[in-house]
Amino acid sequence: MLGLCATIVKLSAPAMPTNANAEAAWNYHEVTKHSYTSVRTNPHFLDFGNQPLPFKIYPALEPSRMPTEVRQTGVAALSAIAGSVPAQTNAAPDLEAVAQLLYLSAGITRQRKYSGGEIYFRAAACTGALYEVELYLVCRELANLQAGVYHFAPAEFGLRRLRAGDYRSVLVEATGGEPAIAQAPLIIVCTCTYWRNAWKYQARTYRHFGWDNGTMLANLLAVATALGLPAKVVCGFVDATVNGLLDVDSQREVAFSLVAVGHDSDLFAQTSPPAPTTPRTLAEISPLGFETVPLSRDEVDYPLMREMHAASSLDSAEEVAAWRGRTTLGSTGMPSSPPPAGPVVRLQPLSDGEMPRDPIEQVILRRGSSRQFARTPITLAQLSTLLDRATRGVPADFVVPKVVPDFVPNVVLNSQDPMGSQLNHLYLIVHAVEGLDSGAYFFHRDRGVLECLKHGNFRNQAGYLGLGQQLPADAAVGIFFLTDLRPIFDRLGNRGYRAVQLEAGILGGKLYLAAYAQRLGATGLTFYDDDVTRFFSPHAEGKSAIFLVAVGHSVKRKR
Ligand SMILES: Cc1cc2nc3c(=O)[nH]c(=O)nc-3n(C[C@H](O)[C@H](O)[C@H](O)COP(=O)(O)O)c2cc1C
């Protein structure tokens, strides 16, 4: 009898999944793989009558408009994506800089009418143009912006104030005292809304959270750099605390990443004048209870994603600090690749004199995913520049940081050595690159070489791998991201899955910008997971497909 009771208790109250047990991430990854058969047997269809709103609207809160003039930084996009401002540089954004950061990462840059309505395209690429990522600000008093918690409203290009006062201490608590957060005058919180993307992509949406948040962060990091602001992506935080501060309905919308922007060297000055009523912990914060407009007539729930999210959640500041500790122990244990075993071709990036100098703001406004590629070649110098500039490191808490010299004014180009670790490995299918034979390659980022895995014309295979679409068959090159998830999960647990998808989105977003800076085109693409691994095996044996970007010459179409 006692045994039966124990069983009943066990069944009715299963142990909460913990981040360290990566079974949930493995399961999510397996179940959401695309294959030729899974795509063809999926009965899902798009119910346009129930399409979610692309904006979060708080009807009771009037947004305050932000300045719409785009300040010209003049910093070349190819420098901005490859560089960063040293973390200790004392700098804080004013309202104009905040507006610029938000506009160039999540603002509406184009709109197009279609039979079903209007699409408001944003600064960064996003799967299905469904824009499930929302941005919030948590800041001290900045020039022309009061201390508070704000929601960014892209439709009005305004800010809705959710809380008045300085709440950054809640995020310091939530991140277990992450140093960049602790000294940032502004923290941008990125959340993701399940239904807005799952309407089309169903349970695979959780991968898209990382991809779409990542492309946005590629823009945000580059613009911060161009504005002379240090910035760092933070993935480790107590989920419930951040969600509670924003008072989002965490069954529907969840915080996915934080970005510390700027740096206050004087910790005492930053909090003056002290606000005696400013709460320091989540326990002291009351829920907001603001109404928001429903996204659709009804929503379909995909519990698998919420399970994945719960299993990758961190529950205490101590757990966060320990998690972060595991990311910075050095490079041992992180995925590394064996030295080249086949013929290699050295990258030959453009020289400084040849490097296109179009500023980052121009390139972001020019960007838009290629809808058709011409089968004309790009050059090895263009491809080399793209790979070199996009992979010089991401300032984030989930990778070993690169060492940046102490006293370097303004933007420093991140040096290649040491360059910080990277979770994703890049594999290429080259169709049309002058100076490089067609074939499959592995990019040895640390050596600056491409290792040829096999020669041949693989246009048909690339088209197939990219879900049977024409774009990857016609592009000049397909850049596939793969990784060995095992050491990542061993180290970072389920949350490593968030990190690897987010990093892929950031690198993919940088590749987009590096392509458009050189007047090439690019598009993100989805793929048949296991077929991608098979194509690049035996080199890629045991790795998982994470992301795909195709690059080439766009066929110009009137938008
Ligand atoms: C990760 C990712 C995957 C994408 N996958 C596809 C795809 O499989 N097919 C496609 O035609 N476009 C794809 N796109 C392009 C999006 O449809 C495009 O970004 C979106 O419509 C917004 O348009 P824009 O990039 O021109 O601003 C993808 C974009 C991203 C970021």
Side-chain angles (χ1 to χ4, degrees):
M1 190 65 196
L2 230 167
L4 183 62
C5 280
T7 310
I8 290 167
V9 169
K10 201 170 162 218
L11 284 176
S12 59
M16 280 294 288
T18 62
N19 181 55
N21 176 0
E23 215 175 294
W26 278 121
N27 180 49
Y28 174 81
H29 186 67
E30 279 302 317
V31 172
T32 59
K33 279 180 176 172
H34 276 333
S35 71
Y36 183 84
T37 309
S38 75
V39 167
R40 273 155 193 78
T41 53
N42 184 350
H44 183 62
F45 66 95
L46 296 183
D47 178 359
F48 283 97
N50 196 35
Q51 182 170 4
L53 277 176
F55 302 111
K56 181 174 189 179
I57 302 168
Y58 294 88
L61 298 179
E62 196 53 42
S64 59
R65 310 268 166 171
M66 286 187 288
T68 49
E69 285 269 298
V70 178
R71 192 189 274 168
Q72 299 301 309
T73 67
V75 175
L78 288 166
S79 301
I81 62 164
S84 58
V85 173
Q88 309 295 319
T89 309
N90 215 15
D94 56 9
L95 179 61
E96 258 186 70
V98 168
Q100 186 143 10
L101 286 167
L102 295 175
Y103 178 59
L104 293 171
S105 22
I108 297 170
T109 50
R110 289 176 283 130
Q111 55 199 83
R112 199 173 69 215
K113 285 195 167 52
Y114 73 111
S115 51
E118 195 145 23
I119 303 182
Y120 298 93
F121 288 96
R122 312 277 181 94
C126 178
T127 50
L130 292 165
Y131 304 113
E132 74 276 14
V133 183
E134 298 284 338
L135 297 184
Y136 298 81
L137 310 179
V138 180
C139 62
R140 67 162 164 84
E141 185 166 337
L142 302 172
N144 299 322
L145 185 63
Q146 289 173 1
V149 177
Y150 297 87
H151 172 250
F152 171 51
E156 294 88 356
F157 195 59
L159 295 174
R160 288 190 166 93
R161 191 161 75 179
L162 306 180
R163 298 183 191 273
D166 186 349
Y167 284 82
R168 290 172 302 149
S169 56
V170 178
L171 297 182
V172 178
E173 176 202 301
T175 56
E178 208 288 334
I181 296 283
Q183 292 189 280
L186 164 69
I187 299 135
I188 298 179
V189 184
C190 309
T191 68
C192 297
T193 303
Y194 294 106
W195 172 238
R196 208 181 279 144
N197 193 271
W199 169 75
K200 180 168 183 184
Y201 297 104
Q202 302 176 280
R204 199 163 154 105
T205 280
Y206 201 80
R207 301 187 186 207
H208 296 200
F209 282 3
W211 301 354
D212 296 331
N213 190 181
T215 56
M216 192 183 268
L217 293 188
N219 288 18
L220 183 59
L221 292 171
V223 175
T225 298
L227 291 170
L229 296 163
K232 181 174 181 183
V233 178
V234 173
C235 245
F237 52 85
V238 179
D239 296 79
T241 305
V242 179
N243 292 335
L245 176 63
L246 307 178
D247 198 21
V248 293
D249 171 358
S250 61
Q251 294 300 300
R252 294 189 160 85
E253 179 185 357
V254 288
F256 200 82
S257 68
L258 314 180
V259 187
V261 180
H263 178 83
D264 285 320
S265 59
D266 184 348
L267 272 175
F268 297 103
Q270 65 168 315
T271 51
S272 69
T277 54
T278 297
R280 298 205 55 83
T281 64
L282 183 65
E284 297 163 65
I285 292 175
S286 46
L288 294 166
F290 289 128
E291 189 196 333
T292 59
V293 175
L295 295 181
S296 286
R297 189 187 59 226
D298 28 62
E299 297 187 11
V300 180
D301 183 29
Y302 295 93
L304 187 64
M305 291 196 282
R306 284 187 293 100
E307 283 160 27
M308 172 63 217
H309 189 76
S312 58
S313 289
L314 302 174
D315 296 328
S316 67
E318 294 71 35
E319 192 182 3
V320 171
W323 182 86
R324 193 165 55 242
R326 284 196 293 276
T327 69
T328 55
L329 290 176
S331 53
T332 41
M334 283 307 211
S336 60
S337 15
V344 297
V345 176
R346 182 153 294 283
L347 293 192
Q348 295 163 29
L350 294 164
S351 66
D352 282 352
E354 298 165 318
M355 199 68 73
R357 298 212 48 83
D358 291 354
I360 182 68
E361 50 276 3
Q362 252 180 42
V363 170
I364 288 176
L365 296 179
R366 180 197 296 163
R367 192 211 59 80
S369 298
S370 300
R371 301 292 81 199
Q372 192 183 344
F373 288 110
R375 289 196 174 195
T376 48
I378 65 170
T379 64
L380 178 57
Q382 287 174 319
L383 175 63
S384 302
T385 302
L386 188 95
L387 291 174
D388 170 38
R389 293 293 166 121
T391 62
R392 295 234 188 148
V394 173
D397 66 344
F398 51 81
V399 283
V400 182
K402 81 195 141 346
V403 178
V404 174
D406 265 350
F407 294 104
V408 186
N410 305 322
V411 178
V412 287
L413 275 189
N414 296 340
S415 71
Q416 285 279 12
D417 183 24
M419 63 200 314
S421 63
Q422 192 174 291
L423 303 179
N424 284 276
H425 298 160
L426 269 50
Y427 287 77
L428 281 67
I429 305 185
V430 171
H431 307 310
V433 177
E434 279 169 10
L436 195 59
D437 291 338
S438 299
Y441 291 84
F442 177 73
F443 176 42
H444 289 269
R445 174 174 162 261
D446 49 343
R447 295 164 195 260
V449 300
L450 291 166
E451 174 186 355
C452 184
L453 305 178
K454 52 187 169 188
H455 286 298
N457 176 343
F458 298 116
R459 282 198 188 271
N460 289 343
Q461 288 89 329
Y464 168 79
L465 294 175
L467 233 62
Q469 300 178 81
Q470 198 56 39
L471 286 157
D474 289 340
V477 57
I479 304 172
F480 292 76
F481 294 41
L482 288 89
T483 197
D484 186 350
L485 288 171
R486 289 164 295 193
I488 295 175
F489 288 170
D490 283 350
R491 205 145 208 196
L492 304 178
N494 292 307
R495 211 174 184 91
Y497 196 68
R498 296 193 200 178
V500 79
Q501 301 290 0
L502 186 68
E503 186 199 68
I506 296 173
L507 297 173
K510 286 182 183 226
L511 288 172
Y512 258 105
L513 296 175
Y516 283 84
Q518 300 185 77
R519 299 211 169 255
L520 300 172
T523 186
L525 290 163
T526 195
F527 43 82
Y528 294 135
D529 290 74
D530 288 342
D531 290 328
V532 170
T533 302
R534 264 191 289 276
F535 178 83
F536 289 108
S537 287
H539 193 283
E541 207 96 71
K543 294 188 186 178
S544 297
I546 302 293
F547 198 87
L548 166 57
V549 189
V551 175
H553 288 284
S554 296
V555 173
K556 296 272 178 297
R557 292 197 310 180
K558 283 211 170 128
R559 285 191 178 271

